[in-house]
């Protein structure tokens, strides 16, 4: 009984909606009595539903319905369990129809006949076949047809509820997006899409998770595309076809191929196409956001080092580069070596006792932090096996040179700290420092600066740390012999380490500032044996230290100036035995150094046989001995600030004035 009532209720609903029974308004106007279902009315409705099902079987499957299927579909429609759309779907997407393997043309023809009761018009046929060729599903076509006004009329004529079915796959959500993705498969990969991939790409584009530019990049950076190993020329052809929807013009093609051969990445070339007006128009045609491609930027290489790719070419940046206002240096492998916005202070200026170990550590840090500007060489080795370091700053290929030297006397190690500080100042301010209107990088472009911070490291070690600083047994024996003689002869009355604190010579007892080959060496009335000072050696250049620094100067092509730092007196020695124009030139530079430092310019001839004496008189190089501070060496730390302020611009001045 309940099933009968449900059937009658469903029938009444369909009958009213389809016009087989009058509406309530019609009943009030046309009838005075309650409407009742007649057997004839029910029979007519059932026949109409049967006719609808029969029509589906014949138009879709090409046969009369089998009794079981016929009764089942009819019953489901009459009961309201299924709509016309659902029953149509069940028959059109049945296994039986699928096994017919109909062509797309036949499928579209059938849809017109079933859903519109007519043959397709030419424009409609082309549209639906185009959608299918772009790999939209047959379900998409079906859903589009059941939503048509023509199918709605058919359902009304048969007195049944039309119903609705929606497509579920991403490829069926937007025909233009699907067409766009389909052409990417065809033009980039040369194949029809796999359905899973098509749905994934369409889903991302429909949800706006990706832009058109990102989708193209995904295709051309895929493993499948890379495995095609297309040439640069063919890659450019693909770009034109995919992003411009045309073949390449000869001039444009030549440009992009040239870029690739010049080291531009393929992604960089893709970026150029993406940002064009032609690709923008193509995206507008498909109703997709164009987007952009960001390339380049900071990355880490396989060893964890920072590298940077140019944002236009995606070339690995090497050498000097200014990025977002910051200056950097990248080595030949593209590894970041110097970041001028994040420099570490290297030279230790916190104490007056600047040691050989401090110098070696500071040189190493400077070389590591500024590899493009610092080269370190060893000019020689001392008697106690310490290195005589030459730190070369600036353009390593420059033809002009300046030599800055300190630490000749063992008590003058503050001078070593000073020249190391000068070197770091040039390096740290390479981009933002300037002198006389020229930046430091411009000043250093034409020069090598040879910095010899500590000519006498053995002597300095002795003065700072006493007898235990010497490692060589033969050298220790020699020092003890010198001390014994000086003690016995009344030169000193102090104990050994106090005696060594005021030591000036090298570890072998030779005064390096009197060991250069000048005329005065043969005439000077100096000590006759090794000692803590004044002994000129057995011959000029008898010592490893003086051989090292003189050998360096001899090797230089065009040394423009020599500065030798000593202590003390706040005075500049410039006059040796120069004459004529060379004398005038030395005086002019000396006078300028006086203005730079605020030190006095000595009027006296200096002829003790030191480095500057030899450089000026023998090599004819403008040479100056700058004596810093005012106390007795070793100088107290409180003097360093004024010494630094007086001398910090000495090297920039020389670079700017010597030409």
């Amino acid at each position: 009984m309940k099933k009968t009532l449900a059937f009658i209720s469903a029938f009444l609903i369909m009958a009213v909606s389809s016009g087989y029974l009058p509406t309530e308004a019609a009943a009030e106007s046309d009838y005075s009595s309650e409407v009742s279902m007649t057997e004839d009315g029910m029979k007519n409705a059932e026949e109409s539903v049967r006719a609808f099902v029969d029509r589906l079987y014949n138009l879709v499957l090409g046969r009369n319905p089998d009794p079981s299927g016929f009764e089942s579909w009819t019953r489901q429609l009459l009961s309201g369990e299924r709509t016309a759309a659902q029953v149509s779907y069940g028959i059109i997407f049945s296994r039986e129809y699928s096994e017919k393997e109909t062509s797309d043309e036949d499928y579209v023809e059938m849809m017109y006949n079933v859903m519109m009761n007519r043959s397709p018009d030419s424009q409609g046929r082309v549209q639906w076949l185009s959608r299918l060729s772009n790999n939209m599903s047959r379900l998409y076509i079906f859903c589009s047809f059941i939503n048509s006004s023509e199918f709605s009329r058919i359902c009304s004529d048969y007195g049944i509820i039309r119903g609705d079915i929606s497509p579920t796959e991403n490829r069926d959500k937007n025909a233009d997006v699907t067409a766009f993705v389909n052409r990417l498969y065809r033009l980039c990969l040369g194949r029809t899409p796999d359905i899973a991939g098509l749905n994934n790409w369409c889903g991302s584009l429909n949800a706006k998770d990706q832009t058109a530019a990102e989708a193209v990049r995904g295709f051309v950076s895929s493993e499948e595309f890379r495995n095609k190993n297309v040439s640069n020329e063919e890659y450019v052809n693909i770009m034109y076809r995919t992003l411009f929807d045309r073949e390449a013009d000869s001039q444009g093609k030549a440009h992009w191929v040239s870029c690739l051969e010049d080291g531009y990445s393929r992604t960089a070339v893709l970026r150029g196409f993406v940002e064009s007006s032609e690709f923008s128009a193509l995206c507008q045609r498909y109703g997709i956001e164009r987007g952009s491609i960001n390339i380049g930027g900071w990355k880490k290489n396989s060893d964890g080092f920072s590298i940077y790719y140019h944002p236009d070419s995606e070339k690995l940046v090497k050498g000097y580069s200014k990025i977002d206002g910051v200056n950097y240096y990248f080595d030949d492998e593209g590894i970041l070596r110097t970041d001028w916005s994040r420099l570490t202070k290297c030279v230790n200026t916190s104490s007056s006792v600047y040691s050989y170990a401090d110098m070696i550590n500071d040189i190493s840090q400077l070389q590591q932090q500024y590899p493009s500007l610092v080269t370190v060489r060893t000019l020689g080795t001392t008697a106690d096996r310490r290195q005589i370091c030459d730190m070369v700053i600036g353009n390593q290929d420059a033809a002009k040179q300046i030599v800055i030297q300190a630490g000749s006397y063992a008590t003058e190690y503050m001078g070593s700290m000073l020249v190391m500080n000068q070197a770091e100042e040039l390096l740290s301010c390479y981009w933002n420092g300037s002198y006389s209107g020229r930046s430091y990088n411009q000043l250093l472009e034409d020069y090598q600066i040879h910095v010899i911070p500590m000519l006498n490291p053995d002597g300095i070690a002795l003065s700072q740390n006493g007898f235990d600083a010497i490692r060589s047994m033969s050298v220790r024996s020699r020092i003890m012999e010198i001390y014994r003689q000086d003690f016995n002869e009344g030169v000193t009355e102090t104990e050994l380490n106090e005696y060594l604190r005021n030591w000036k010579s090298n570890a072998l007892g030779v005064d390096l500032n009197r060991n250069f080959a000048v005329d005065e060496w043969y005439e000077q009335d100096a000590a006759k044996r090794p000692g803590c000072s004044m002994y000129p050696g057995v011959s000029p250049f008898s010592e490893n230290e003086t051989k090292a620094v003189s050998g360096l100067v001899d090797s230089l092509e065009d040394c423009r100036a020599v500065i030798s730092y000593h202590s003390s007196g706040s005075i500049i020695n410039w006059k040796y035995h120069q004459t004529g124009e060379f004398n005038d030139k030395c005086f002019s530079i000396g006078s300028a150094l006086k203005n730079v430092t605020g030190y006095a310019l000595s009027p006296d001839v200096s002829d003790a046989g030191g480095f500057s004496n030899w450089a000026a008189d023998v090599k004819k190089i403008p040479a100056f001995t700058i004596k810093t501070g005012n106390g007795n060496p070793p100088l107290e730390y409180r003097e360093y600030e004024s010494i630094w302020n007086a001398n910090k611009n000495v090297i920039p001045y020389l670079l700017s004035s010597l030409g």
Side-chain angles (χ1 to χ4, degrees), residues 9-80:
S9 175
F11 172 78
L12 287 173
I13 292 171
M14 289 187 291
V16 169
S17 65
S18 60
Y20 282 94
L21 290 179
T23 62
E24 183 178 348
E28 290 178 355
S29 60
D30 298 334
Y31 298 91
S32 59
S33 60
E34 186 176 288
V35 177
S36 61
M37 175 66 71
T38 66
E39 290 185 5
D40 288 342
M42 293 178 62
K43 183 177 180 182
N44 290 338
E46 184 175 344
E47 289 176 354
S48 182
V49 170
R50 287 179 175 276
F52 178 82
V53 174
D54 183 79
R55 177 176 180 274
L56 285 177
Y57 268 90
N58 280 278
L59 293 178
V60 176
L61 302 180
R63 66 174 175 84
N64 292 323
D66 57 282
S68 174
F70 190 45
E71 292 301 324
S72 176
W73 291 120
T74 300
R75 177 182 56 78
Q76 291 180 64
L77 279 170
L78 285 170
S79 67

Side-chain angles (χ1 to χ4, degrees), residues 48 132 158 232 242 252 292 295 370 372 375 442 449 580 610 618 640:
S48 182
L132 289 169
Y158 281 94
N232 287 340
T242 304
S292 59
I295 61 172
Y370 306 99
S372 63
T375 299
Q442 291 174 324
I449 301 173
V618 178
Y640 185 71

